[in-house]
Structures are given as structure tokens and as C-alpha cells.
Amino acid sequence: MTELHLWLRHEARTTERRTPIVPDDARRLVGHGVELTVEESPQRVFPIEEYEAAGCRVAPAGSWMTAPRDAVVLGLKELPGEPAGLTHRHIFFGHAYKGQPGAAELLGRFAAGGGALFDLEYLVDDAGRRLAAFGFWAGYLGAALAVLRHRGRLRAPLTPTTKEDLDATLQPVADDAGFTGLVIGALGRSGRGARAAFATAGADPTCWDLAETRDLDRPALLRHDVMVNAVLATTPVPPFLREQDLDTPGRGLRTLCDVTCDVGSPLNVLPVYDETTTWDEPVRRLRDAPPLDLIAIDNLPSLLPLESSTDFSAALLPHLLDFGVSGAWGRCLDRFRDASRALGLDKGESHDH
């Protein structure tokens, strides 16, 4: 591997407490000759001192903007709005290849600066399977919050916790009424997480995946009390819920959690809302009679930052040790170039540095 300088940035989003690299894995990277600079971040679940002890250099929050041009900037969620031109190679979840709001602007910033996006969502193996993902914890938390809301025990604002404490709140108590749950996308990472949370809550949900959604039984869907959507569509499919479905007489559905949060995308399978919910206001009432509540938080795993970061970092580490412009990273780069070209932004310049 050629000499690699990774720059772990502070996350601009105030509710983002995760990190793609935990201190133990930072130590492994340094031990393999990677230069690792870590920005100070008061909200990151791991204190900066642990990275310093692992042999990392420490830099002020936001200093990636003036980092050496050959540094690879590593993060999770969206970049701040400036600078207008992005000169570095960036690794993070860009959400920019499916026509999402702000996608063209982000890719335009890379075109303006000559940088490149290695989108973690598209870090995949030869068969297209994700190599590092937060899906299990997203599904676990999505189902957990939905159950707590349905039982009247969800407290806002949401705050980060541990799995042990979360599971304690999920345990059924004597006065809990029974309910029916549905997980769509039950066989994927997020679906497995949702099923595990339902099990902790003492519920045995209906599980649907591709076979059950090819010819969707909407009346059956609407008979469930609690639904968790864990499907990330990559090609257009008929929506699982439409606006008119919410007004179906006799609708049983009371609590809906959209783990995927593909709002704004033409591939959105739940086009019944147009804005995600937040930690401060995690629930939005879609209908009053009978009530239907929506939870759609797009950084759910940050509510279990220690567990989710540790799992993700372990999966990402071997690929960072093999960082380059071929293999899985090459596929990331190809996807970026294809998306830029589709917008007329790729003028043939090299992003390989």
C-alpha cells in the first residue's frame, strides 16, 4: 500500500456521536504505517485522548479544509456548506447518487475543487454486497423506538444510550397490550436488527422481504399495528404506502418507522411524508383519526454510538488498510464518476491524486 494519510473529521451534525474508526482500530492503522490525523470533537463517543494514545495526530475541528491535498478525509454524515470547492478525496455517506435533495450541489462542489467522493454506501464486494454498514443498529433502534412509541413510553428529546439500558426499557411490563408488528426488508441487515429488537420487546413480527413485496398485500400491511421499513430500494418499485392508504377505512396501522429515510428520492417506497423527524421531535402525527405516528430519523445508530461505531469500524478497517483506486474503492470511484458525468460535471479531470 502506498503511504496513506487519513484525516478523521469532526461531524458537523450536532447529534452525530458515531465515528467510522474507533481508537483500537486507529492504533492498528498507525501500526500498519498509516498517518492518522484526528480532529477534536466534543460530541464523538470516544474522547480525543484515546486517539492520541493510539498514536494519532490531533487537529482542531474543521481543519480538514486546510489539510494537505493528498490527505483522505474520513467521516460519516454530510459536510458543512463550505468550502464551495472540495479539493480532497472524501470518504463518507454522501447520499448523492439517487437524485436526493442537495445531491447535485454536493457533486458540483467536488467538480469545482477537483476532489472525489468515495461513498461508503457503495463500498461493495464483487456481488454488490455492502462491506461496512450500520444497518443492523439502524434497524434495531428503529423497531425499538416504534415499540416504545406504540406503548406510550418514548421520551423526547432522544438521547444516546447503551444497548443494556435500551433493552431494559423494551422489556414488556404487565400492563402492555399486545400488538402486531411487521418488518419489511426482514432478511437484510436492518431487517435483522429490527427483528432482534422486536424479540427483545417480546413480539414476534410478520417478516416480509422480496417475495412478499413483489405483489404487495396492502390490506394485510394495514392490519398491523406497528410497521418498520428496512428496505433500501435501488430500482423503482411500487410504493408500500400511498397517501390514500392512510385514509383506508379500518386501518389498523398506528406506528410507522422508516429506517431507510429515502425521503426526496424517486426510489422512496414510503412517499407519505416529505421531511425526516429529529431527536428533539422524533414523532410526527400523520393522521389523527385513527392516529398514525411516523418516526423517520436518518442517523438512528448514533443513539447507540459505542456499539454501532465499534461494529462499523471493525468492518471498515481492513478496507482502509487496502485503500486505493482498484477493487472496492475503485467501484466507489467509478460510481462517483458516473454520477458526476450524468450531471455534466465530469470534464475528464483525474481524481486519483
Side-chain angles (χ1 to χ4, degrees):
M1 184 183 74
T2 58
E3 184 175 336
L4 175 64
H5 184 184
L6 283 175
W7 194 286
L8 181 60
R9 61 175 169 87
H10 160 74
E11 296 288 336
R13 187 185 296 207
T14 57
T15 59
E16 189 50 73
R17 302 195 68 227
R18 294 172 294 173
T19 177
I21 290 295
V22 303
D24 282 349
D25 291 332
R27 181 176 287 105
R28 294 182 179 96
L29 285 166
V30 171
H32 280 82
V34 175
E35 182 179 353
L36 183 52
T37 300
V38 180
E39 293 187 359
E40 295 169 326
S41 178
Q43 68 208 38
R44 190 186 293 127
V45 65
F46 295 96
I48 193 65
E49 290 80 10
E50 293 189 25
Y51 289 97
E52 200 166 16
C56 304
R57 296 183 180 181
V58 175
S63 55
W64 61 266
M65 299 179 195
T66 56
R69 193 167 185 267
D70 65 351
V72 180
V73 182
L74 176 61
L76 287 176
K77 300 299 282 186
E78 66 273 4
L79 295 170
E82 296 293 333
L86 297 169
T87 61
H88 296 92
R89 292 169 291 176
H90 282 259
I91 302 172
F92 70 106
F93 290 99
H95 303 299
Y97 300 160
K98 294 190 290 184
Q100 297 99 322
E105 289 81 359
L106 175 63
L107 294 175
R109 291 169 67 190
F110 279 107
L117 169 61
F118 292 81
D119 194 315
L120 286 164
E121 185 178 333
Y122 298 91
L123 184 68
V124 297
D125 65 13
D126 291 334
R129 290 184 292 262
R130 295 269 298 274
L131 295 172
F134 286 98
F136 179 88
W137 294 110
Y140 196 95
L141 280 152
L145 297 185
V147 169
L148 291 174
R149 175 63 180 184
H150 195 73
R151 289 174 170 169
R153 297 209 293 269
L154 185 63
R155 302 288 175 257
L158 302 178
T159 55
T161 185
T162 64
K163 184 175 183 293
E164 182 180 13
D165 288 345
L166 176 64
D167 287 355
T169 69
L170 274 180
Q171 296 297 321
V173 297
D175 61 348
D176 280 336
F179 68 90
T180 55
L182 171 64
V183 179
I184 304 186
L187 299 182
R189 283 190 180 96
S190 293
R192 292 197 300 270
R195 287 156 49 201
F198 273 122
T200 300
D204 184 16
T206 302
C207 296
W208 289 359
D209 209 88
L210 285 174
E212 293 81 7
T213 55
R214 285 194 184 98
D215 186 16
L216 188 74
D217 186 345
R218 282 201 185 86
L221 183 158
L222 293 167
R223 284 195 292 269
H224 291 84
D225 299 311
V226 179
M227 172 186 152
V228 176
N229 173 51
V231 172
L232 181 64
T234 55
T235 57
V237 296
F240 299 156
L241 277 177
R242 306 158 302 182
E243 195 70 23
Q244 62 265 35
D245 298 322
L246 308 189
D247 299 311
T248 299
R251 166 178 52 81
L253 189 63
R254 296 290 184 271
T255 308
L256 169 64
C257 180
D258 187 10
V259 172
T260 305
C261 290
D262 226 355
V263 61
S265 165
L267 303 183
N268 183 14
V269 296
L270 293 177
V272 294
Y273 71 101
D274 57 9
E275 190 176 352
T276 56
T277 62
T278 66
W279 287 25
D280 286 338
E281 297 181 6
V283 178
R284 180 173 305 129
R285 178 62 56 92
L286 296 181
R287 290 292 188 275
D288 289 317
L292 175 57
D293 291 332
L294 167 76
I295 298 171
I297 295 169
D298 65 359
N299 67 335
L300 282 167
S302 193
L303 290 164
L304 287 178
L306 180 63
E307 294 88 347
S308 63
S309 295
T310 300
D311 283 357
F312 186 86
S313 178
L316 184 61
L317 174 67
H319 303 290
L320 290 175
L321 288 171
D322 196 31
F323 181 80
V325 294
S326 61
W329 295 110
R331 287 187 283 272
C332 279
L333 192 59
D334 288 343
R335 194 66 183 253
F336 165 72
R337 287 171 168 160
D338 289 345
S340 298
R341 192 176 300 115
L343 291 171
L345 298 171
D346 190 339
K347 306 304 181 186
E349 67 270 29
S350 172
H351 297 286
D352 297 344
H353 288 53

